[in-house]
Amino acid sequence: MDRDHLVNIFILSGLIFLAPLAYADVDLRKKAPSQYLVKKGDTLWDISGVFLKSPWRWPSLWEENQQIKNPDLIYPNDVIYLLYSDGKPYLTTNQPSANKLVPKVRSSGRFTPITSIPKKALNSFVRDHRIVATQRITPMPYVLASAGLRQLIAGGDDIFIRGILDPEINQYDIYRVGKVYGANQGLAAENTEIVNIGQVQIISKQGDISRAKVLNSNGLIKKGDIIVRPQTLRFKPLYYLAAAPAGIKGQIIGAVDDAYKIARHDGVVVNLGSASSVYAGHIFSVLKKAEKVQDPRTNELITIGNQIIAELMIVNVFENLSYGIVLNAAEIVSVGDVIIGIE
């Protein structure tokens, strides 16, 4: 049989869901279609939003029926069917024919499979951003100077590093120290965001001075930039998804890349972390921060706020802070907006 016409039997890698999940909470849209043609650029979040009022509840539809417990990879031009089993809805990519599910045959290699949310939205900040306790930064090795004592350092240049390095590791990441989150954001201890700007290969060591070559950089490297052990972050196409517990309440305290207006798929920093029992995949509602306005007739100060304007998914968790990504946004999200567990 020609390879281009083999039946795809790949399991959707990374399709991991939180269990048990309340299937009874599935709330279909009133005009949910019986089928949907997947388009290039679609995400699983988008497709689930076609059928569900709350797209983050997609596991309920994809896992409801044993026939699609491990669904095939979903590609553009596939058709998603909304079917029912014992009165409960579920989605499948297998075409129903005379009450039977007919497995489809697809030419492999024609398209790239869809993802849960755009990979670009994740990679644009999660992979290169980390948060560390501020007190940990001072002891870290750092860029002392370029080998030619030039002020500007780029990829291909040799540099000198000062600090104790692990003798078993020859490649390190270079990070730029960024924003500090502390008392101004209601935190008991200071935490600092660090941003990856390049990688280095160690050439030689003498005491606490090492020589290294800059393998690549996202911009000009500066003296004082810190040297950090490489960390591989493995982000699956889908996350464990669950409503954040109703009692958890936090706040958006920063915008990744200093975005002034935060919109759909933008990254944010929230003042909740593993210490608050938050993990990747928690879904929060975003409330517009309360503002006081003066009534033009009575001169009273009226508080306006507490409207839900967006949903946010946690994607990378540290002890006291986390990165999140804004999903459905009815209006612009701002630093200071409140996040709460979904009721």
Side-chain angles (χ1 to χ4, degrees):
M1 182 181 293
D2 189 271
R3 273 189 170 184
D4 290 337
H5 295 86
L6 288 175
V7 176
N8 281 287
I9 57 172
F10 297 114
I11 294 174
L12 182 54
S13 60
L15 188 58
I16 304 174
F17 299 116
L18 187 70
L21 192 67
Y23 297 135
D25 290 337
V26 174
D27 196 358
L28 292 175
R29 290 187 176 277
K30 290 183 178 179
K31 296 184 179 180
S34 60
Q35 62 185 57
Y36 176 79
L37 179 67
V38 179
K39 302 184 295 294
K40 185 177 181 180
D42 273 348
T43 65
L44 192 56
W45 183 276
D46 296 327
I47 294 171
S48 297
V50 171
F51 298 95
L52 287 170
K53 291 182 179 179
S54 299
W56 66 269
R57 296 190 187 277
W58 70 54
S60 298
L61 285 182
W62 289 106
E63 281 207 327
E64 178 65 24
N65 188 274
Q66 289 297 317
Q67 290 173 303
I68 60 164
K69 187 174 182 180
N70 293 316
D72 291 342
L73 285 171
I74 304 169
Y75 290 79
N77 286 357
D78 282 350
V79 178
I80 308 295
Y81 299 96
L82 175 63
L83 303 178
Y84 292 83
S85 176
D86 297 326
K88 296 180 180 180
Y90 69 95
L91 296 178
T92 179
T93 56
N94 291 329
Q95 183 177 0
S97 177
N99 297 322
K100 294 182 179 180
L101 292 178
V102 181
K104 63 181 180 297
V105 178
R106 180 194 300 116
S107 295
S108 61
R110 292 174 55 205
F111 296 107
T112 300
I114 68 168
T115 57
S116 56
I117 55 179
K119 287 183 179 179
K120 184 178 179 181
L122 290 176
N123 295 341
S124 62
F125 71 91
V126 177
R127 198 171 300 278
D128 292 336
H129 289 63
R130 292 169 63 179
I131 293 173
V132 299
T134 301
Q135 62 184 10
R136 291 180 53 196
I137 292 178
T138 300
M140 288 182 177
Y142 57 92
V143 176
L144 179 65
S146 72
L149 302 182
R150 295 186 302 273
Q151 295 298 314
L152 302 179
I153 306 171
D157 290 345
D158 283 7
I159 61 172
F160 291 107
I161 296 170
R162 187 173 189 187
I164 303 302
L165 300 177
D166 189 326
E168 301 298 322
I169 299 177
N170 288 322
Q171 286 191 12
Y172 285 84
D173 291 336
I174 308 172
Y175 278 81
R176 175 77 39 83
V177 175
K179 290 171 284 189
V180 176
Y181 300 99
N184 290 341
Q185 290 77 32
L187 300 174
E190 282 193 349
N191 293 264
T192 298
E193 182 178 70
I194 58 176
V195 182
N196 189 306
I197 58 171
Q199 287 78 38
V200 295
Q201 176 84 42
I202 305 302
I203 299 173
S204 62
K205 301 175 185 177
Q206 187 171 2
D208 68 344
I209 306 296
S210 301
R211 184 173 181 135
K213 180 174 289 293
V214 178
L215 299 178
N216 57 73
S217 65
N218 303 327
L220 293 175
I221 296 165
K222 300 178 181 179
K223 292 189 292 185
D225 285 339
I226 59 176
I227 307 299
V228 182
R229 288 168 175 258
Q231 179 185 27
T232 301
L233 299 178
R234 298 178 181 178
F235 295 103
K236 297 180 183 298
L238 301 175
Y239 288 79
Y240 287 93
L241 294 177
I248 297 182
K249 182 177 181 181
Q251 191 174 43
I252 295 173
I253 62 173
V256 174
D257 298 328
D258 294 320
Y260 176 69
K261 294 182 178 180
I262 304 168
R264 188 183 187 214
H265 295 157
D266 283 343
V268 297
V269 180
V270 303
N271 63 350
L272 298 172
S274 58
S276 301
S277 299
V278 169
Y279 60 78
H282 263 154
I283 305 293
F284 284 89
S285 293
V286 180
L287 300 180
K288 195 64 184 173
K289 62 182 177 182
E291 296 181 353
K292 291 185 180 296
V293 298
Q294 188 172 29
D295 188 305
R297 292 188 176 182
T298 66
N299 292 325
E300 294 176 282
L301 285 178
I302 305 297
T303 299
I304 297 178
N306 294 329
Q307 303 101 336
I308 294 177
I309 60 169
E311 289 175 316
L312 177 148
M313 181 172 71
I314 300 297
V315 294
N316 202 4
V317 180
F318 302 89
E319 184 177 2
N320 299 307
L321 300 175
S322 298
Y323 286 113
I325 185 169
V326 174
L327 297 174
N328 294 348
E331 59 181 270
I332 295 298
V333 175
S334 304
V335 172
D337 286 346
V338 173
I339 63 172
I340 60 171
I342 296 177
E343 300 291 343

